[in-house]
Amino acid sequence: MTTTEERWTPNYGEPYVPVPYRPARMPADESVAEAAELRERMEARRTVRMFSPDPVPEQAVLDAIAVASTAPSGAHQQPWTFVLVEDPEVRRRIREAAEAEERISYDGRLGDEWLSALRPLGTDAVKAHITDAPCLIVVFQQRFYLEDDGSIRKHYYVDESVGIAVGMLLTALHLSGLAALTHTPSPMKFLGEVLDRPRNEKAFAVIPVGYPADDCVVPSLRRKTLDQVLVRV
Ligand code: IYR
């Protein structure tokens, strides 16, 4: 496991230092055209559960993670860690542990109502995507900041911040031509153990990244229309 940069130090208690922000304003017609194109491209995104083992361009994945890390966050604490897992042996261990939990879930822990909600998605306890996809991004929330001396500092709005970052990650991956799955094995405690994460980090999602398998299928789902999700006042 490698981290190349020096450790981030938070800026608790530092003064407010406003700096100018004057991005060039996009002409309205360009905004409309950009938004329409983005909408069309994002409407084509699908969650993929059947991956090709073909490798993906690593720089595209690193850039997508960098995009995710531009997300806004509570008190700008950026309470996230992205663990990029390519090692097949580590992926095998994650799959084994995830499937052990999922078997318990699908064999009854979820309950009938939950299982019936999942039926149209066709999911089950077999998590081949963990070892089929060429890489996984395991996202961790930093529930609090761990000082070098072991003391802790609070983090704020961690769920919201990491949720926004993951949304931006999925968008960046899709717009870079890569397929992904938001997988939430439950419970996820084993991820911190397998990946040897510090005690302030809690697993949030496992995101296999790759290309769809040649024979990939996805469930036939209906998205809500704009009218169905929009209320105007
Ligand atoms: N975590 C399980 C079950 C599951 C739950 C929901 I909500 C989903 O949208 C999909 C799956 C699993 O990964 O199979």
Side-chain angles (χ1 to χ4, degrees), residues 49 102 106 110 114 118 121 123-124 127 183-186:
R49 291 189 169 78
E102 296 295 347
Y106 282 89
L110 295 179
W114 196 340
L118 290 180
L121 302 184
T123 58
D124 59 28
K127 300 302 178 190
H183 176 41
T184 51
S186 177

